Amino acid sequence: MERSEIKFWNGSIAVAEGALAAGCRFFAGYPITPASDIAEYMALRLPQEGGVFIQMEDEIASIAALIGASWGGAKAMTSTSGPGFSLMQENVGLAAITETPLVIAEVQRAGPSTGMPTLVGQGDVMQTRWGSHGDYETIVISPSSPQESFDLIIRAFNLAELYRVPVIFLTDECVAHMYERVVVPPKEEIEAVERLKPNVPPEEYMPFKPINDIAPMATAGMGYKVHVTGLTHNEKGYPMTTSPEVQEWMVRHICDKIRRNEYKMRDIEEYRMEDAEIAVVAFGIVGRSAKAAVKMARRHRIKAGLIRLKTIWPFPESYFESLADDIKKFIVAEINYGQVKLEVERSVHGKASVELLPKFGGAVHQPSEIYEKIKEVKNGN
Amino acid sequence: MEINATQHPMDKYLRADRIPHIWCPGCGLGIVLNAFLRAIDELKIDLDKLAVVSGIGCTGRIAGYINTDSYHTTHGRAIPFATGLKLANPEMKVVVISGDGDLFAIGGNHFIHAARRNIDITVIGVNNYNYGMTGGQLGPTTPLGARTTTSPYGNIEHPFNLCHVAHAAGAVYVARWTVLHAVRLKNSIKEALQKKGFSFIEVIAACPTTYGRRNKMPDALDEMRFYREHSVIKHGIDPAEANIEIGKEIIVGKFVDIEKPTFNDAVEELKRKVKKK
Amino acid sequence: MTYWVEEKEKNVHGRVYIIKDRCKQCGFCIEFCPQGVLKQSEEFNAKGYHPPKLVETDEKKCMGCGFCQMICPDFAIFVEREEEEDGKK
Ligand code: SF4
Ligand code: SF4
Ligand code: SF4
C-alpha cells in the first residue's frame, strides 16, 4: 500500500498535478498572466505522462483544440485568465451544445479588459455562467488553497466527464501563486471518472439521446460515425435548424441535466454556521480572510458564520432559500463590484438582507475589513 | 439507352438520410465532395478511422454529409479543432474541408500556424471568391474589382493567393485545381491524404448563386467554360506567381511537394524521450 | 507522381445510369462529355428539372470515361464500364 505524499506546491502546480492525476492527457493553451504557470508546468509534465502539450496561436484555437481532443477521446484542459477566457466564449457554447467534456482553469486577475494583469480579481463569476450566447449551463468550481486546487480539479474533471459539460475551474492569482502543503493521496485512492461509452451497435446509437440525463459518448475512431455540430441538432446529432420542438428539447436537455442535479454538485464549506445570525458568503481566496473575520467576530461574541462556495455554478439556490428562513443577514465579500451577491439576493427571495462587501484595486479583503462589515451589519445600518 | 437508377456508387459514403444536399444547382461543392469520396474509395481508407472537420458556411456543410466521424465546428475553428483531434487520436486520418472565408479570413491565423507546425492533417479549401451562405459578401479571396454585396462598386481590397499563403506558411503539399479538373483534383486529394504533414489543396469552385450572378457568370456552366478556356496547368511553379485576377488565366497544378518532420512525430518522439517509467 | 486522365481505350463502352430526381440541371455532364453523348431530356423530375439522357443515335459512343460522374455535383449520374469480348483492359 502506497502512502500519501506531502508536497510543497503552489496553486498552479497543484492544478496541473491534480489534472494529471485525474487523467488529463491533452493541454492546449496560450500564454497569459497569471495563468502561464499552469501551462508551463503542463509542458514539462505532460510528455512524461504520455500526454500532449501544445501552445496554440490564441485562446480561441486553444479551446477549439480542446473540443477536438475531447472528441478524439482525451481528457483535455487549458488554462487562461479573464481576457483569454473572453476570447474562448463562442467555443464554450460549442462545447456546451455538443456536450463535450473539458476543463478550463481560469486564473482570475483584476479586470475589466487588460486591467491589472498581475493582481488578483474575482470579476469573472458571471462570465463563467453567461459568457457565451444562448441558453446553456456550465459547472464552475472555485478553490481556496493549493490543497483544494489539487482535490477540486480532480472533481472538475470527474464532473465534466459525468455530465458531458465544460467545467470552469475558477481560481485566482493569489491561490495560484501561493505555496502550501499539499497532501497527495496514493494513486489508487484517487477516483477518476471515465465518460460513459455506448454499448449498442452503431445502427442503434443516438449520440445525443440521454439515458438518465446523459448520453453515452462515442469518440472518434470507435466506429460510430457520429456527426457533431454546433447547429441545433436532434438526438441523432443532425442539424434541425427550423424545428421549434427540437430546439426546445435540446436547450432543456443541456440546461436541465445540470439544473436537475445541482444538489449532487453542491459543495459548500460551512464554518460556525450552527448558531449564526450573520452569514458571510465568500469563495476562492476571500474565503480565507472571511474565515479569519468570522473568528474575530466570534471572539467578540458576534454570532457570525461563513458560507464558502466551492461550487459556484450551478448556484445552490435552494440552499440559500432555506437558509434564509433562519438567517436574516448575509454579507457577500468578493473581489468585484457585485456578482455572487446578485445570486444570493435572488435566492433568498427577499427573506433576508444581502449586503455586498466589494473589493477594488487588485487586492484581497483584509479580515479586519470583513469584520468591520460584520459589526456594521450586526448594528443594523 | 440510359438506365434509371436510385442508388449511386458513392452513396455508401454518404449519410443516406441527409441527401439530397442543400447546395444550389451547379454549385461546385458537390463536385468537391464527390472527388473526396472517390479518393477515399480508391485509397480504401477505413471510414472508421477518418474524421472530417468543417467550419461554417456552404462548404462547412460537407462534414455533415460524409458517413464518418464528422465535426461541424464554429466559424474559422476547424483547423484547431482538427489539431486537437489528431493529437489526441493519432490513428485517425483528419481532413478539414472548409471555405475561403472560414479558413482564411476568420480562421486565417489558425491556417498559417497549423502549416507552420506541420500538423499532420489535410486541408481542402474551397475557394468560391465570396461568402455564399450569408448572401455573397466580399471575402479574402474576392478578386480585385469583383462585385459582391459588400463591394457593390467593385472590390478595392487585394485578395489572398491561398497557395502562396500555404507555401509561405510551411505546408508540405500545395496544389490548386478548379472543380472542372475533377479527376486531377481527386488524384491530388489522394496524394494529399497519403502525405505526412500539413497538405493543402485549393479548389476553385463556382458559386453561381451569390458570386456568379453579380460577376457576369450567372450560370455555373459559364464559369465552368471559363475554367476550361482559362486554366493552365503549371506543376512546380512558385505559387507566388499564381495570383488570381479577374478574366486572367487561372494557374493550377501541384506547386509544392516536400518532406519535413511533422509536429505529430515530434510529439511522439518527445514522449519517448522523457516518459516516466 | 503521375497525373493521368482516364484514357480512351478500345472496345470499352460505358453504361450510363441516371438518378433522375437528384439532377439539378446544371448541364455539366452534357457540356463536358468528351463524346457528346448526353443531352437534356424533355422530361421533368420531381424538383422540376430536366435530367440528361443519352442521344439516341449511337449507343456505343459512350466510352465509359467517367467524366460525367466526376463532374456531376449532385450524385445524379454514374457509369459502368463494359469491355467487349475482344477488348483488352
Ligand atoms: S450559395 Fe454559392 S456556395 Fe452556397 S450552395 Fe449556393 S452556389 Fe454553392
Ligand atoms: S462516361 Fe464519358 S463518354 Fe460516357 S457519357 Fe459520361 S462523360 Fe460521356
Ligand atoms: S451534371 Fe448531374 S445535376 Fe448536372 S445536369 Fe448532369 S446529371 Fe444533372
Side-chain angles (χ1 to χ4, degrees):
Chain A
M1 192 66 194
E2 275 182 66
R3 274 190 287 154
S4 296
E5 285 182 60
I6 311 290
K7 303 284 187 186
F8 190 60
W9 280 343
N10 69 20
S12 303
I13 298 174
V15 164
E17 286 291 349
L20 291 168
C24 174
R25 289 297 176 268
F26 183 87
F27 185 102
Y30 185 79
I32 187 168
T33 303
S36 300
D37 306 29
I38 298 177
E40 289 165 3
Y41 196 79
M42 285 304 250
L44 193 70
R45 287 283 286 116
L46 258 174
Q48 296 177 341
E49 300 294 331
V52 178
F53 171 90
I54 183 169
Q55 181 171 315
M56 297 299 286
E57 51 275 16
D58 59 29
E59 286 87 349
I60 305 175
S62 303
I63 185 167
L66 248 56
I67 302 172
S70 187
W71 281 100
K75 290 187 183 178
M77 180 174 85
T78 185
S79 64
T80 190
S81 186
F85 187 51
S86 295
L87 281 175
M88 291 182 183
Q89 290 309 324
E90 186 192 13
N91 286 279
V92 168
L94 180 67
I97 199 176
T98 56
E99 303 188 61
T100 308
L102 54 86
V103 175
I104 301 167
E106 215 264 64
V107 188
Q108 293 174 97
R109 65 194 219 188
S113 190
T114 312
M116 303 164 106
T118 58
L119 300 181
V120 70
Q122 287 186 324
D124 303 350
V125 176
M126 287 300 179
Q127 190 181 206
T128 59
R129 172 66 188 84
W130 301 106
S132 200
H133 56 282
D135 294 301
Y136 68 101
E137 293 272 346
T138 55
I139 298 172
V140 178
I141 291 176
S142 181
S144 277
S145 65
Q147 180 71 58
E148 273 188 2
S149 296
F150 182 86
D151 297 340
L152 294 182
I153 194 85
I154 297 172
R155 182 170 156 80
F157 272 94
N158 290 348
L159 289 173
E161 295 291 321
L162 207 56
Y163 290 97
R164 283 187 63 176
V165 69
V167 175
I168 294 125
F169 195 71
L170 192 64
T171 177
D172 54 60
E173 185 275 327
C174 285
V175 173
H177 287 156
M178 115 195 334
Y179 273 86
E180 264 178 1
R181 198 177 106 109
V182 177
V183 181
V184 180
K187 259 203 191 97
E188 57 277 10
E189 274 172 36
I190 294 175
E191 198 209 347
V193 174
E194 303 301 326
R195 64 189 69 160
L196 203 60
K197 290 185 179 129
N199 54 8
V200 295
E203 319 76 79
E204 287 166 34
Y205 176 56
M206 293 284 206
F208 295 96
K209 185 176 180 173
I211 304 168
N212 301 329
D213 284 338
I214 312 300
M217 183 172 173
T219 49
M222 285 173 64
Y224 283 89
K225 301 188 173 70
V226 175
H227 182 58
V228 177
T229 175
L231 290 169
T232 296
H233 49 261
N234 61 17
E235 295 173 333
K236 180 96 185 112
Y238 287 179
M240 300 290 278
T241 54
T242 52
S243 162
E245 296 77 23
V246 170
Q247 204 260 353
E248 178 172 350
W249 164 79
M250 195 203 67
V251 169
R252 281 186 188 276
H253 166 60
I254 61 173
C255 292
D256 291 348
K257 68 177 182 184
I258 305 301
R259 292 183 190 178
R260 211 181 289 135
N261 293 300
E262 182 275 314
Y263 65 97
K264 292 186 197 161
M265 304 166 202
R266 192 177 287 179
D267 194 3
I268 297 167
E269 183 201 359
E270 290 186 351
Y271 175 73
R272 305 298 304 263
M273 283 299 291
E274 56 296 337
D275 61 346
E277 288 165 1
I278 298 170
V280 181
V281 182
F283 64 96
I285 189 64
V286 182
R288 301 170 74 118
S289 38
K291 191 181 240 174
V294 166
K295 285 179 183 166
M296 288 165 85
R298 286 284 174 170
R299 278 200 293 276
H300 292 89
R301 303 212 159 66
I302 302 173
K303 288 186 172 174
L306 168 70
I307 297 168
R308 183 167 67 85
L309 301 177
K310 294 194 258 178
T311 297
I312 301 181
W313 302 108
F315 199 77
E317 239 176 282
S318 59
Y319 166 85
F320 279 101
E321 190 184 0
S322 51
L323 206 62
D325 289 336
D326 303 320
I327 295 174
K328 298 299 169 195
K329 287 170 177 173
F330 288 86
I331 298 164
V332 182
E334 47 187 338
I335 311 171
N336 59 43
Y337 203 14
Q339 298 198 13
V340 165
K341 186 253 183 183
L342 299 173
E343 283 304 297
V344 177
E345 200 164 51
R346 194 174 60 79
S347 304
V348 300
H349 293 289
K351 292 191 283 187
S353 73
V354 181
E355 292 213 18
L356 172 68
L357 181 62
K359 183 75 188 174
F360 300 94
V364 187
H365 304 73
Q366 293 294 328
S368 58
E369 292 173 64
I370 302 176
Y371 170 60
E372 287 305 320
K373 185 71 182 177
I374 295 171
K375 276 203 304 196
E376 181 192 312
V377 168
K378 156 100 172 129
N379 299 334
N381 39 28
Chain B
M1 264 285 279
E2 71 281 354
I3 302 163
N4 286 335
T6 53
Q7 287 285 308
H8 189 278
M10 290 300 110
D11 284 3
K12 58 176 183 278
Y13 299 118
L14 294 166
R15 294 186 191 273
D17 42 1
R18 302 216 54 221
I19 297 296
H21 56 61
I22 59 160
W23 299 312
C24 308
C27 173
L29 288 166
I31 304 176
V32 180
L33 176 56
N34 190 349
F36 180 68
L37 298 181
R38 284 176 192 278
I40 285 176
D41 187 59
E42 289 177 19
L43 289 175
K44 300 196 171 50
I45 287 178
D46 179 0
L47 282 192
D48 285 353
K49 298 294 169 208
L50 171 74
V52 178
V53 186
S54 283
I56 298 296
C58 292
T59 317
R61 294 304 182 95
I62 279 194
Y65 296 127
I66 305 172
N67 193 18
T68 184
D69 286 316
S70 54
Y71 304 93
H72 179 221
T73 65
T74 41
H75 199 15
R77 317 305 166 198
I79 288 178
F81 184 105
T83 299
L85 183 63
K86 177 71 187 177
L87 287 169
N89 201 335
E91 61 173 31
M92 298 300 289
K93 199 161 260 311
V94 181
V95 181
V96 170
I97 309 181
S98 222
D100 48 280
D102 186 76
L103 291 171
F104 291 93
I106 190 166
N109 198 26
H110 310 310
F111 183 93
I112 57 174
H113 289 283
R116 171 179 67 77
R117 294 182 186 107
N118 200 19
I119 300 285
D120 188 16
I121 58 174
T122 294
V123 177
I124 300 174
V126 182
N127 178 5
N128 58 18
Y129 305 145
N130 81 132
Y131 289 87
M133 183 159 275
T134 47
Q137 294 81 12
L138 169 79
T141 56
T142 305
L144 205 58
R147 282 175 204 275
T148 69
T149 53
T150 48
S151 61
Y153 306 111
N155 178 20
I156 54 174
E157 292 185 15
H158 300 281
F160 260 156
N161 167 346
L162 303 185
C163 289
H164 187 196
V165 173
H167 176 47
V172 292
Y173 182 100
V174 180
R176 176 194 285 155
W177 299 105
T178 78
V179 284
L180 184 66
H181 298 85
V183 178
R184 292 172 190 275
L185 170 62
K186 175 208 67 185
N187 292 334
S188 219
I189 296 174
K190 282 169 72 179
E191 284 189 352
L193 288 174
Q194 289 167 290
K195 185 91 195 165
K196 251 172 131 24
F198 189 89
S199 49
F200 173 64
I201 300 172
E202 174 184 6
V203 192
I204 310 283
C207 167
T209 308
T210 64
Y211 183 80
R213 79 186 162 94
R214 293 191 178 88
N215 291 282
K216 303 189 187 113
M217 291 200 198
D219 194 339
L221 205 47
D222 299 331
E223 186 139 351
M224 293 292 263
R225 287 188 187 120
F226 182 87
Y227 300 157
R228 179 170 58 192
E229 281 141 32
H230 292 82
S231 27
V232 189
I233 300 177
K234 288 187 185 170
H235 293 308
I237 193 183
D238 180 352
E241 287 159 33
N243 284 344
I244 293 176
E245 290 168 52
I246 282 186
K248 298 264 173 63
E249 66 180 16
I250 302 175
I251 297 172
V252 296
K254 179 168 76 170
F255 305 139
V256 178
D257 192 351
I258 56 166
E259 305 296 326
K260 199 162 82 176
T262 68
F263 182 85
N264 305 68
D265 286 345
V267 163
E268 293 308 319
E269 176 63 30
L270 179 65
K271 281 195 221 171
R272 269 194 302 277
K273 253 203 304 218
V274 303
K275 185 142 190 164
K276 282 215 165 146
K277 303 294 168 317
Chain C
M1 285 289 152
T2 48
Y3 278 84
W4 49 273
V5 199
E6 276 127 307
E7 307 156 0
K8 183 173 175 175
E9 286 168 39
K10 274 195 195 112
N11 299 317
V12 177
H13 301 289
R15 203 191 270 271
V16 178
Y17 292 82
I18 292 169
I19 308 170
K20 289 183 182 168
D21 281 341
R22 292 189 184 178
C23 174
K24 291 184 191 155
Q25 201 188 319
C26 66
F28 295 172
C29 57
I30 300 168
E31 171 88 9
F32 298 108
C33 166
Q35 299 292 95
V37 294
L38 295 166
K39 66 172 189 181
Q40 206 174 76
S41 68
E42 302 291 295
E43 180 185 352
F44 287 102
N45 69 9
K47 291 181 222 148
Y49 296 115
H50 298 294
K53 61 183 260 189
L54 280 178
V55 292
E56 295 83 0
T57 47
D58 188 356
E59 300 256 312
K60 293 270 154 98
K61 253 176 88 183
C62 166
M63 58 179 188
C65 71
F67 197 67
C68 53
Q69 68 180 8
M70 288 303 299
I71 208 74
C72 172
D74 287 273
F75 300 91
I77 187 169
F78 62 97
V79 249
E80 268 173 15
R81 299 179 87 181
E82 292 188 317
E83 283 166 52
E84 288 195 346
E85 304 275 294
D86 58 333
K88 52 178 174 40
K89 182 90 181 111

